[in-house]
Amino acid sequence: MPDTKRPGRTGLLPMSVVAAFTRLAYQRKFISEEAGLRTLARPKGPSKPPSAIMRRYEVSTSQEHGFDLHRVRPSGPDTGVTVIYLHGGAYTSEIVSQHWSLIGHIAARTGHEVAVPIYGLAPDHQGLAALSFVTAVIADLVAEGRRCYLAGDSAGGGLALLAAQAVSGEAGGVVGVTAIAPWLDLSISNPEVDLIEPHDPWLRRPGLRPLAAAWAGSLPLRDPRLSPLFGDLSCLPPLQILVGTRDITLADCRLLRDRLPSAVPLTYHEEPGALHVYPLLPVPEAGPGREAVVTHIRSTTRLTHP
């Protein structure tokens, strides 16, 4: 996740500068199969909330179903809603400061509690276990009487959609989903990716393929429990997708948009010239992206209030 020096009073950089930095610093993680295998083998970092989050919010951590679950609570009355945020990182990289920044923003601007499940990462853990953990967290929260809204970026956006599909039809369930540049098909086989990949300064298919294989284990990459593009789309709650046009996930986001039944409310936005997970980056476009996320969460949870 790009973390560049941030000049100026706003702390923001032009998208072109972040793109150049990203190409130099991060594309090497995915440029080849060998690079992907090195990324897969890299030691994991800590997953505890940073001090800035601990100071500003009430934060509790528990061990749930074998993994850490952090719950971030803003000041003010309890709304009865929990936003479950699932971090990206190609299913092999840990949660980082940019994720926590967005988590804090969601908590502050919506007034809702944000739960952060720290699901196991490849190569030691695989996709079905992560899905089982997240759906168990949803069930626990619903049993507490809470309404759940799922949000996530990149791999976490794909996992959010998988979880929404898995719990569809259950009482309480999930009332909405925000997916920021979600990884929708582990096989990355959409031919439209060919047209986008040369313009994406970050992601490359050769390095992502070993990560997808490790996450899938013995299952096919297009198994609907791993790749939500091939699951039941008719069961989804109100859905928001945000994606940039210099992002290889764009191809499948468009495909999902076109396949989604008209009965599923969709808020879809493509940001021209934007990179992967642009609402998390230090760019001017991130501000409107974050506010769009907050607006969708607030409007959806208000509309679904009992």
Side-chain angles (χ1 to χ4, degrees):
M1 186 72 66
D3 190 10
T4 58
K5 297 291 185 182
R6 302 181 181 186
R9 296 177 64 184
T10 65
L12 302 178
L13 295 167
M15 189 74 72
S16 59
V17 173
V18 174
F21 174 83
T22 300
R23 189 181 298 277
L24 289 172
Y26 289 91
Q27 193 181 90
R28 64 173 183 264
K29 294 173 62 178
F30 307 109
I31 198 68
S32 66
E33 181 178 352
E34 292 75 18
L37 290 170
R38 288 193 297 270
T39 298
L40 190 63
R42 185 176 62 87
K44 313 306 181 193
S47 64
K48 65 179 296 186
S51 57
I53 293 289
M54 301 289 284
R55 286 195 303 268
R56 185 171 181 184
Y57 304 99
E58 178 187 344
V59 180
S60 62
T61 299
S62 58
Q63 272 274 319
E64 303 291 340
H65 310 282
F67 297 96
D68 282 348
L69 176 68
H70 305 297
R71 296 176 74 164
V72 179
R73 297 179 178 88
S75 59
D78 182 13
T79 65
V81 173
T82 297
V83 178
I84 300 172
Y85 193 90
L86 300 166
H87 72 86
Y91 293 128
T92 193
S93 296
E94 65 278 356
I95 190 169
V96 296
S97 61
Q98 290 87 347
H99 297 124
W100 286 112
S101 176
L102 180 55
I103 287 162
H105 184 80
I106 290 171
R109 297 283 288 120
T110 66
H112 299 328
E113 170 189 75
V114 184
V116 187
I118 304 300
Y119 57 92
L121 300 170
D124 294 330
H125 303 273
Q126 296 175 335
L128 288 189
L131 181 58
S132 177
F133 173 43
V134 175
T135 55
V137 168
I138 295 169
D140 291 346
L141 290 167
V142 170
E144 291 179 20
R146 307 192 68 81
R147 291 178 296 136
C148 297
Y149 186 106
L150 286 166
D153 67 281
S154 194
L159 184 54
L161 284 161
L162 289 167
Q165 289 170 330
V167 303
S168 65
E170 296 182 11
V174 172
V175 301
V177 178
T178 287
I180 302 170
W183 194 355
L184 297 170
D185 173 9
L186 289 187
S187 73
I188 326 175
S189 54
N190 188 330
E192 296 299 316
V193 175
D194 294 340
L195 303 176
I196 303 166
E197 191 171 40
H199 306 287
D200 186 332
W202 189 344
L203 301 177
R204 286 292 182 273
R205 284 171 289 179
L208 288 169
R209 287 184 177 124
L211 308 185
W215 189 244
S218 62
L219 296 177
L221 295 178
R222 290 189 168 198
D223 189 295
R225 296 166 295 175
L226 298 173
S227 295
L229 188 61
F230 307 107
D232 183 0
L233 302 180
S234 68
C235 67
L236 290 172
L239 172 62
Q240 178 187 41
I241 294 176
L242 300 97
V243 65
T245 60
R246 296 181 66 187
D247 180 346
I248 63 172
T249 68
L250 173 65
D252 284 335
C253 286
R254 288 174 170 171
L255 189 55
L256 175 63
R257 175 198 63 190
D258 296 342
R259 287 183 179 178
L260 199 68
S262 59
V264 177
L266 173 65
T267 303
Y268 180 88
H269 179 69
E270 289 182 8
E271 184 63 33
L275 310 188
H276 187 54
V277 297
Y278 73 89
L280 281 75
L281 304 182
V283 294
E285 294 85 351
R290 288 181 173 219
E291 285 310 299
V293 171
V294 165
T295 297
H296 194 267
I297 294 171
R298 292 174 66 177
S299 63
T300 302
T301 53
R302 182 172 62 248
L303 289 171
T304 57
H305 197 282

